[in-house]
Amino acid sequence: MNIQVDLTESNNVLEGYIAGEIDAHTAPVLRGKLENYQSYQGLEAELDLSDVNYMDSTGLGVFVAFYKSVNSNGGHVKLKGLSARLKRLFDITGLGDIMDIESVGKEGN
Amino acid sequence: MIHEIENQYKEILNEYMKKQSEQNLYVGQNFSRQLILENIAPEEVISMHKGAIQELYGELPDVVWHSFDFLIEMMISYGLALQERQSLLRQQEELKVEMDLAANVQETLLKTKLPLLEGLDIGLLSIPARKMNGDYIYFVSEHDGYAGVAVADVIGKGLPAALCMSMIKFGMDSLSSSQALPKDVLSVINRIVEKSVDDSMFVSMFYGSYDAKQARLTYGSAGHEPAILYRAKDSEFTELYSKGLLLGVSPAAVYEEHTVDLEKGDLVIMMTDGVTEGRNEEGFIEREVIYELIERKKEQPAQTIVQYVYDELERMQNAQFQDDFTLVIYKKV
């Protein structure tokens, strides 16, 4: 039950690396950190999820909220390195169609 | 009042000093309960003790009085901490009562009646992981040979999720036709949720409308875990995938709908991710495991299958579900 969230921002470009599990316990940590940037105008965010080994719907909610506010401020969110399991979660929820996501194509476990 | 208590204490202390009997001690213990009821702070008790000693014995060495003063000062912060703790306990108790009330209201509000349909056997189980259920199941039925079923999961937990759910219920009620088309139901509820819910709360929902005469299920999904179809004649499970965005993300979302005709022995399995996202020390419980459980009991009534799946998954996860569990099975008989 732990999570690592590293975010660095310069010139309105946000680079993020997230590792571990995103569930009801850890999601507030992630939400708190992302909220610091979501009101930037025209933010270009790129979050690397390749070391996220578990995410449930609470985690999904955090990314959607972030996506919605960045979008409404004229910015863009890209999620990359999604495992097959994570990719499925985004596809089922229809978020895969509206969000910019990139999977690694490896089997999740 | 305080004066009266001080006198009482002096008496009790005096009696004890004379005899030092068990009986005197017992009186003292009872008296301390009265002090708690009267909300006397610990430092006041010590100050009372100091006063009583002064009255009873008059002159004593300074060290005795200094030691009492020290103790009184010390107990002031002790008393404050105690007070804070008591007020927290009280608040906690109040919250618990309110939570119980809310859970009761939720239960009453979300009560739904299984529809009676020719040739359809329905099994249903919905168990919250905590007090409030974030899953929602609702049947729309008018005894006209049609019935709608909504299976929804509010992303976000606890009280806010429960409140969000009552909104969905009223949305469903306002549609209130068992023949309503899934794509229409989903887009109406989507607009309600989109307008009224905060940015990090979303709902996934499966909606199916069943026509008993033709044994035909028309279904759509708003970002929900796909329902599963079990075909009895070739013993195969397939996902009933239907494209559609989670409710509450975008007002412009459009929903698909599909139909499937059921034959005798076929099952439609509708659920929330509490069923499929189970895991234990060895990792995730794969969907194939759930298929296998269902296949083992496929000849049984729908309710028996549902209960069996729950019991087995509970056993595999050492009786600890992380998420609300909702499973509905339609069985064509």
Side-chain angles (χ1 to χ4, degrees):
Chain A
M1 267 196 306
N2 36 41
I3 188 171
Q4 185 191 341
V5 184
D6 298 327
L7 302 176
T8 39
E9 186 269 340
S10 78
N11 289 328
N12 248 10
V13 175
L14 180 72
E15 294 276 341
Y17 169 79
I18 300 153
E21 307 189 347
I22 314 176
D23 57 18
H25 298 281
T26 60
V29 178
L30 178 63
R31 180 182 303 125
K33 294 200 174 178
L34 288 175
E35 270 172 0
N36 294 330
Y37 301 99
Q38 65 187 19
S39 52
Y40 282 39
Q41 288 301 314
L43 183 76
E44 292 291 320
E46 194 169 304
L47 306 175
D48 180 358
L49 306 186
S50 45
D51 288 320
V52 172
N53 44 40
Y54 176 78
M55 178 162 91
D56 69 3
S57 53
T58 327
L60 206 59
V62 174
F63 287 114
V64 182
F66 184 63
Y67 160 80
K68 278 182 86 172
S69 40
V70 170
N71 239 33
S72 68
N73 290 318
H76 183 80
V77 179
K78 178 177 182 163
L79 304 178
K80 59 177 189 181
L82 272 67
S83 68
R85 191 174 274 276
L86 255 62
K87 172 82 164 49
R88 180 175 185 274
L89 196 57
F90 278 90
D91 286 341
I92 284 177
T93 50
L95 295 168
D97 287 337
I98 60 163
M99 288 175 76
D100 185 1
I101 61 169
E102 194 183 277
S103 64
V104 286
K106 73 174 178 187
E107 262 316 289
N109 50 14
Chain B
M1 191 68 204
I2 275 282
H3 192 66
E4 196 181 304
I5 289 173
E6 279 169 359
N7 281 336
Q8 269 179 323
Y9 180 74
K10 197 174 72 189
E11 280 309 305
I12 294 167
L13 179 65
N14 197 22
E15 285 304 307
Y16 177 77
M17 292 308 225
K18 282 187 215 152
K19 299 182 206 136
Q20 285 146 51
S21 73
E22 281 292 321
Q23 172 64 21
N24 298 135
L25 267 185
Y26 178 71
V27 174
Q29 278 163 4
N30 279 340
F31 188 67
S32 77
R33 275 182 215 126
Q34 195 189 331
L35 295 177
I36 291 171
L37 286 178
E38 302 279 352
N39 254 332
I40 311 277
E43 73 272 14
E44 287 174 311
V45 178
I46 296 162
S47 164
M48 200 160 74
H49 180 77
K50 185 187 169 197
I53 295 278
Q54 230 159 5
E55 283 184 40
L56 292 172
Y57 304 102
E59 287 299 305
L60 281 176
D62 276 351
V63 284
V64 175
W65 306 125
H66 291 333
S67 81
F68 279 131
D69 292 339
F70 176 75
L71 190 55
I72 289 166
E73 283 303 317
M74 221 179 75
M75 293 313 274
I76 287 175
S77 33
Y78 179 96
L80 286 176
L82 186 69
Q83 230 170 31
E84 206 171 312
R85 183 171 172 275
Q86 278 166 339
S87 116
L88 280 177
L89 280 177
R90 227 179 358 255
Q91 278 174 27
Q92 201 180 36
E93 186 57 32
E94 278 168 20
L95 276 179
K96 202 185 147 283
V97 171
E98 275 181 33
M99 205 60 184
D100 285 343
L101 272 176
N104 267 339
V105 171
Q106 188 190 35
E107 221 182 284
T108 319
L109 206 61
L110 303 183
K111 212 165 261 176
T112 187
K113 248 176 82 186
L114 284 183
L116 283 173
L117 289 169
E118 185 70 35
L120 192 70
D121 173 25
I122 303 176
L124 156 69
L125 199 61
S126 183
I127 312 242
R130 270 164 276 172
K131 206 162 262 177
M132 306 290 277
N133 201 337
D135 287 354
Y136 174 59
I137 167 112
Y138 196 66
F139 291 100
V140 183
S141 157
E142 288 160 351
H143 309 289
D144 55 356
Y146 290 84
V149 60
V151 181
D153 184 358
V154 179
I155 298 174
K157 301 265 172 286
L159 212 46
L163 291 174
C164 175
M165 221 171 312
S166 41
M167 216 163 57
I168 303 172
K169 181 203 151 64
F170 291 117
M172 297 283 303
D173 281 347
S174 71
L175 285 162
S176 139
S177 160
S178 42
Q179 298 183 44
L181 293 171
K183 60 174 197 244
D184 297 334
V185 174
L186 293 172
S187 61
V188 168
I189 308 284
N190 179 48
R191 283 195 296 273
I192 298 176
V193 175
E194 214 276 328
K195 274 204 194 84
S196 30
V197 178
D198 95 273
D199 258 2
S200 58
M201 198 144 77
F202 310 97
V203 182
S204 75
M205 181 161 148
F206 173 89
Y207 189 85
S209 167
Y210 186 75
D211 171 354
K213 209 163 132 203
Q214 305 194 62
R216 173 173 294 169
L217 181 75
T218 307
Y219 61 93
S221 164
H224 197 79
E225 190 66 38
I228 293 160
L229 171 70
Y230 173 78
R231 283 288 191 203
K233 74 167 189 293
D234 39 33
S235 305
E236 254 175 41
F237 289 92
T238 44
E239 287 189 349
L240 295 179
Y241 182 73
S242 181
K243 208 170 142 93
L245 187 60
L246 288 173
L247 303 172
V249 179
S250 159
V254 180
Y255 297 95
E256 286 182 356
E257 68 186 24
H258 303 271
T259 59
V260 57
D261 290 334
L262 301 186
E263 285 156 40
K264 196 164 185 302
D266 286 356
L267 306 173
V268 177
I269 300 128
M270 295 160 269
M271 65 217 149
T272 55
D273 59 5
V275 179
T276 50
E277 286 285 284
R279 46 179 184 160
N280 54 21
E281 289 92 26
E282 290 140 49
F284 291 96
I285 295 168
E286 297 296 337
R287 302 166 81 76
E288 285 67 30
V289 175
I290 297 165
Y291 295 172
E292 209 185 295
L293 294 175
I294 291 169
E295 195 154 24
R296 262 186 234 159
K297 294 283 168 183
K298 63 178 191 242
E299 304 299 340
Q300 304 283 323
Q303 192 60 41
T304 312
I305 310 176
V306 164
Q307 188 65 49
Y308 178 71
V309 172
Y310 178 81
D311 291 344
E312 286 298 301
L313 288 178
E314 188 184 41
R315 198 175 50 78
M316 288 175 204
Q317 295 176 78
N318 305 319
Q320 287 204 317
F321 280 99
Q322 297 299 320
D323 201 353
D324 305 326
F325 178 105
T326 295
L327 180 61
V328 184
I329 293 184
Y330 274 13
K331 183 178 185 180
K332 176 75 181 81
V333 288

